[in-house]
Amino acid sequence: MPMVNGAFFAGYGVALSLIVAIGAQNALVLRYGVRREHVLPLVLFCATSDAILITAGVMGFTAMTNAAPWVEPLFTYGGAAFLIAYGARSFLSAYKGGQALVPSEGQRTPLIGALAAVAAITWLNPHVYLDTVILIGSVSAEYDDKMAFGIGAILASFSFFFTLGYGARLLTPFFAKPRSWQILDAGVGLLMWAIALKLLLP
């Protein structure tokens, strides 16, 4: 069993610095966390997905992209198209308004629908592959104890998503106002379009 050493803390720090930046996935988890809907399965899904991707990065995802150059543009353009479409959906939701005014009230999203949304935003997000996976994989190559590095990175993901999902309820008073939901949806839309633009521009 790997010791808690320098590689472990390096993995934890690198992963946390990448995950903590608010992104489309984090915004979605925040939204469900505020509404107190399906928090446990959603944060487990996100953290487990990260664990799989981090493991792939540490075990050589970068080598795969070097061997198959077509993988990178596939993720780039496919992910950009998805982000544009989902961003437009968020803008439409912000325009219509009428969201549940109190996060714990209103019609709940079915679990399968919530999982489908977070799965799409996780696995179709090219930043997961182009930034997190590749970067973590390349940094891990600098350490002899890659297992400790990977475990540290995975632990960072689990601790972050559980904090985000269950800590979101502290924002309940803010999201008791209907305008707040519109601001959140508009912010998610802007974020997704900004990421897509960054992907498409040279």
Side-chain angles (χ1 to χ4, degrees):
M1 184 174 181
M3 298 175 60
V4 178
N5 51 27
F8 173 89
F9 288 112
Y12 190 98
V14 169
L16 189 62
S17 66
L18 291 169
I19 298 169
V20 75
I22 190 67
Q25 183 190 52
N26 296 352
L28 200 61
V29 172
L30 176 64
R31 192 175 194 284
Y32 281 108
V34 168
R35 292 176 61 87
R36 304 182 186 183
E37 289 184 12
H38 316 304
V39 176
L40 181 59
L42 290 180
V43 297
L44 279 176
F45 181 91
C46 290
T48 302
S49 296
D50 270 4
I52 294 170
L53 294 168
I54 288 169
T55 301
V58 172
M59 295 181 66
F61 184 83
T62 303
M64 187 186 77
T65 58
N66 290 335
W70 55 268
V71 171
E72 184 170 337
L74 175 66
F75 286 139
T76 298
Y77 293 110
F82 169 77
L83 290 170
I84 291 171
Y86 205 99
R89 177 182 175 183
S90 295
F91 281 124
L92 180 61
S93 179
Y95 173 76
K96 288 182 176 180
Q99 299 282 346
L101 302 186
V102 178
S104 60
E105 296 180 358
Q107 184 176 3
R108 290 174 61 85
T109 304
L111 176 59
I112 188 65
L115 285 173
V118 78
I121 210 69
T122 299
W123 291 95
L124 297 181
N125 183 356
H127 274 237
V128 172
Y129 306 93
L130 301 178
D131 290 340
T132 308
V133 177
I134 293 176
L135 180 58
I136 288 179
S138 61
V139 174
S140 70
E142 301 177 8
Y143 294 88
D144 293 331
D145 195 347
K146 292 182 176 59
M147 183 176 293
F149 185 96
I151 290 175
I154 290 170
L155 182 60
S157 176
F158 272 87
S159 60
F160 172 76
F161 280 112
F162 271 84
T163 300
L164 180 65
Y166 285 100
R169 64 187 60 188
L170 299 176
L171 298 174
T172 297
F174 176 73
F175 286 102
K177 303 174 183 178
R179 177 66 65 182
S180 299
W181 289 102
Q182 291 179 292
I183 292 173
L184 178 63
D185 283 328
V188 171
L190 285 171
L191 177 67
M192 292 184 178
W193 280 13
I195 296 174
L197 184 62
K198 179 182 177 182
L199 289 172
L200 295 174
L201 292 179

